[in-house]
Amino acid sequence: MTTAHSPAVGERRPSSHRAGVLVQEFGTVKQFPIGLSQEARVSSCRLLNQLLADTQILYGLYKKHHWLMRGVTFYQLHLVLDKHAGEQLDIVDALAERVQTLGGVAVGDPRHVAEITSVPRPPDGVEEVPAMLSRLLEAHEAILVAAHDAAARAAGSGDDGTNDLLVSQVIRTGELQAWFLAEHLVDTPLVRA
C-alpha cells in the first residue's frame, strides 16, 4: 500500500531541477596545504583560467577544421588536426586540474569560456584550407605568448608546478603543433614539372 508521500516500488524518480548552493565563487581560491601563498595561487589561477579558456577554444577550432577539411591534402590534414585536437584536450584537462590543485575554480562552462577567451571567433561556415590553418596558427601564437608570460610569472612567485605544466605541456606541445601547421602553409608544389 502506498500513501500520498511514498511512491510505489519501481516508481521512484530522481530528484531533478534542484538549485544548489554556490560553495565557491569563480576567481577565488581556498586554502590548500601546498606551500604556496594565497597571492601566488590567485595569480596562477587567473592566468591558468585564461589559458584554459583559450585552449578549449583552440580544441574546438581543431575539431571544426578537422571535420571541414578538404582538398588534395584532406586525408593528411584530417588526421593531423584530429591528433592535435586530442593533445589539446589533454592540455585542457591538465590546466583545469592545476587550477583545482591550487584551490581555484576551473572555467568549464562553454558559455563562460566564450565570454573570457581571447581567441577570435571564426566564421560559422567553411573557409579555405589556408585560412583555417592560419586561424589555428594565430590561436597557437596567442596562447604561446600568454603561456610564456604566465610561466615566467609563476616561476617568479615560486609556483614551480604551474611553471612546469606551462613549459612542459602547453608551450612544448603548442610549439610543435604550430610547426606542423606552418609547414603546411609553405607554398611548395606537390610535384616539380
Side-chain angles (χ1 to χ4, degrees):
M1 178 173 165
T2 61
T3 65
H5 299 297
S6 62
V9 175
E11 290 184 23
R12 295 195 183 265
R13 296 197 173 122
S15 176
S16 62
H17 305 292
R18 295 175 68 173
V21 175
L22 193 63
V23 295
Q24 185 179 354
E25 293 281 341
F26 181 79
T28 65
V29 296
K30 57 186 174 183
Q31 185 59 46
F32 279 152
I34 60 173
L36 287 172
S37 71
Q38 171 128 351
E39 181 182 321
R41 291 180 305 109
V42 167
S43 174
S44 286
C45 285
R46 182 181 52 78
L47 296 167
L48 287 165
N49 266 320
Q50 183 63 57
L51 286 165
L52 177 56
D54 292 343
T55 303
Q56 288 180 71
I57 296 298
L58 178 59
Y59 165 76
L61 284 175
Y62 264 116
K63 289 307 284 187
K64 176 184 180 184
H65 298 330
H66 158 77
W67 297 320
L68 303 179
M69 194 47 55
R70 38 191 74 189
V72 295
T73 58
F74 163 80
Y75 184 71
Q76 294 83 357
L77 284 171
H78 182 74
L79 293 179
V80 78
L81 297 184
D82 199 38
K83 178 181 181 290
H84 285 192
E87 293 166 352
Q88 288 300 318
L89 192 55
D90 289 342
I91 291 172
V92 165
D93 195 50
L95 289 168
E97 287 179 354
R98 182 64 188 166
V99 171
Q100 295 302 128
T101 299
L102 294 170
V105 178
V107 60
D109 186 298
R111 294 162 293 199
H112 190 189
V113 167
E115 290 172 2
I116 66 173
T117 187
S118 65
V119 176
R121 182 178 175 164
D124 290 334
V126 180
E127 295 178 283
E128 295 174 335
V129 171
M132 287 191 272
L133 297 179
S134 293
R135 191 171 298 286
L136 289 166
L137 272 174
E138 290 166 6
H140 268 297
E141 186 171 31
I143 289 169
L144 286 166
V145 167
H148 281 288
D149 178 64
R153 290 175 188 251
S157 70
D159 186 355
D160 298 324
T162 296
N163 174 274
D164 177 61
L165 167 67
L166 295 174
V167 172
S168 66
Q169 290 186 25
V170 177
I171 293 172
R172 289 194 181 135
T173 301
E175 288 173 345
L176 188 64
Q177 289 182 349
W179 171 48
F180 272 70
L181 294 173
E183 290 299 330
H184 278 90
L185 292 173
V186 174
D187 189 17
T188 304
L190 293 174
V191 183
R192 295 231 181 252

